[in-house]
Amino acid sequence: MGRSGRWKRKILTAATAAGSGLAAVATHTMAAPLPGTTTAVVAQPAGWHGISNGSIIDYWTTASDGALRHVSGALFVPSGKPPPEGWPIIAYDHGTTGLGVNCGGITNPVYGSDREDEFLRYFLAHGFAVVAPDYVGLGRFATGPHPYLEIRSEAAATIDLVRAARTANPRLSRTWATFGASQGGQAALGTAWVQQTVAPDLDFRGAVADDPESDVEKLIVAIGGPHVPDIPLLTGPTTGFVAMILAGLRAARPDLNVNDYLTPLGRELLDGIGGLCLLDIADRTKDIKIGTLLSRPLGDDDFRSAIEEYMEVPTSGYDAPVLLLLNATDTIVPSPLHAALAAQMVLGGVRPQIVVGANRHTHLDDRMWAALDEFLDRIVATPPRP
């Protein structure tokens, strides 16, 4: 079964579960909160991320097993009077920040960055409100290790924050789009695919993915085992990323029993990084080789199926435009993976707009910024759907 087929099966299962949940609401007075329910709105002082109108929003979302999780995110609103139909929304999906509580992107200033703030101000200057989810496990609530690169929980946290923000601020419109870089690019694409099933009441306009993670699951299956070649590419930072994926997969899929694939060192490492942020994980793994973490190869059918379901990017079946901003000189997500994603999308009938640069990971050149300008201009110029 192809990646989009697997997603359709999962989304239909989730929709069935949601329908059962709605029936329960009708027959029980003490129902669980619905995903997208706002629990708190905490206004932030002027100057937070260099912006005047920022808030932290706490809300409910669902993990991949359908269980409710308390999560957090940020909302930024342009100054001045909104358009008659309200401010259109950009959902900003952040890149890799770690696995633990308070490692979330925008709500934790320790792990923010000037480049992220530049993007936030850019979207606000173009007349968009911005929502920025922390994802499950990374924000203000200790819900266990973040399921790193689990695409469905990223999408759920993003869509549910759009709903929570619209409840918190009636000046936000139904019109929205996604933007993300690196891990966030993967999340933006996953959100674009999922929203057509779970959020048809909203007016989704498209996704922009800047050097998105993709096809890494294939590399892990191909190279993962105790006899990984001893080359620099497969030590240090790469070990950290692989360890985070395995820790997230272990938390999200206990039925797989990831520990069976690990050496004692591997189990000890995963046990120790589940509450850490990115810089501490990088320091913990800087001298460790991937092969020393694994007791047996990762290429069996059970592992392959689980990791594809966990993190694979859909390459067909999108119902809104996709803009890929891809750097041919990217070394964090190696550029051949970008080429593979673009080719698979074209073969899948997506017809993405592709702009290629020659910059560092997630950095945009003038042509990329121009393409992003045009993407936003089309959203503003198109009347809202009824």
Side-chain angles (χ1 to χ4, degrees):
M1 181 181 292
R3 65 179 72 182
S4 297
R6 281 190 294 272
W7 273 59
K8 288 175 181 176
R9 181 186 64 199
K10 282 289 180 181
I11 295 302
L12 287 173
T13 301
T16 300
S20 299
L22 292 175
V25 170
T27 57
H28 296 281
T29 56
M30 295 297 292
L34 293 174
T37 300
T38 305
T39 62
V41 180
V42 185
Q44 299 300 297
W48 189 52
H49 292 282
I51 299 166
S52 298
N53 303 317
S55 301
I56 291 174
I57 295 181
D58 298 336
Y59 64 104
W60 290 103
T61 191
T62 50
S64 58
D65 61 0
L68 284 167
R69 294 288 188 274
H70 212 181
V71 290
S72 55
L75 166 65
F76 301 92
V77 180
S79 300
K81 185 178 179 180
E85 65 277 4
W87 299 113
I89 302 168
I90 291 290
Y92 178 87
D93 287 319
H94 70 76
T96 301
T97 57
L99 296 176
V101 64
N102 289 324
C103 295
I106 303 302
T107 63
N108 184 351
V110 174
Y111 283 86
S113 70
D114 291 340
R115 291 197 63 251
E116 285 192 326
D117 292 351
E118 178 186 13
F119 278 122
L120 298 178
R121 292 192 291 268
Y122 167 83
F123 291 124
L124 290 166
H126 280 71
F128 287 81
V130 181
V131 299
D134 290 330
Y135 312 141
V136 171
L138 287 178
R140 286 151 50 93
F141 302 97
T143 59
H146 165 55
Y148 178 56
L149 295 177
E150 186 192 37
I151 197 165
R152 285 181 287 114
S153 64
E154 293 167 344
T158 304
I159 295 167
D160 290 334
L161 181 55
V162 172
R163 295 193 185 283
R166 295 190 69 238
T167 299
N169 190 323
R171 299 189 301 166
L172 305 185
S173 79
R174 295 169 50 248
T175 299
W176 70 294
T178 57
F179 174 92
S182 197
Q183 177 185 7
Q186 180 223 30
L189 292 171
T191 299
W193 203 96
V194 169
Q195 61 76 33
Q196 58 194 306
T197 302
V198 303
D201 54 308
L202 299 174
D203 182 12
F204 185 73
R205 298 299 181 86
V208 182
D210 174 15
D211 285 339
E213 180 284 323
S214 67
D215 289 297
V216 169
E217 70 280 355
K218 295 181 177 63
L219 284 182
I220 289 177
V221 166
I223 67 172
H227 304 296
V228 176
D230 186 8
I231 58 177
L233 177 63
L234 301 180
T235 59
T238 302
T239 302
F241 290 128
V242 171
M244 285 194 289
I245 292 169
L246 293 175
L249 182 63
R250 186 174 70 166
R253 289 291 304 270
D255 58 299
L256 180 64
N257 203 354
V258 169
N259 279 349
D260 283 353
Y261 296 86
L262 303 176
T263 61
L265 173 63
R267 291 193 291 274
E268 180 183 4
L269 178 65
L270 266 60
D271 291 343
I273 65 174
L276 301 182
C277 299
L278 180 60
L279 296 180
D280 291 327
I281 294 172
D283 184 65
R284 186 77 63 93
T285 59
K286 64 183 178 182
D287 297 319
I288 297 177
K289 299 178 176 64
I290 293 174
T292 64
L293 305 180
L294 302 172
S295 62
R296 62 188 175 103
L298 302 179
D300 64 71
D301 289 343
D302 288 344
F303 189 92
R304 185 190 304 271
S305 176
I307 198 169
E308 287 176 354
E309 186 177 282
Y310 175 83
M311 62 185 291
E312 194 174 45
V313 176
T315 55
S316 64
Y318 291 83
D319 70 347
V322 172
L323 171 60
L324 299 178
L325 305 175
L326 308 176
N327 281 303
T329 47
D330 190 354
T331 58
I332 302 300
V333 177
S335 56
L337 298 183
H338 296 327
L341 175 64
Q344 291 163 34
M345 282 192 162
V346 170
L347 291 173
V350 178
R351 300 295 186 268
Q353 179 185 358
I354 303 168
V355 182
V356 177
N359 311 286
R360 288 181 293 150
H361 181 58
T362 73
H363 285 244
L364 306 185
D365 61 20
D366 289 345
R367 291 181 61 249
M368 291 169 157
W369 281 114
L372 187 54
D373 286 343
E374 293 172 2
F375 181 89
L376 299 181
D377 289 344
R378 286 196 299 270
I379 294 176
V380 173
T382 304
R385 292 188 317 200

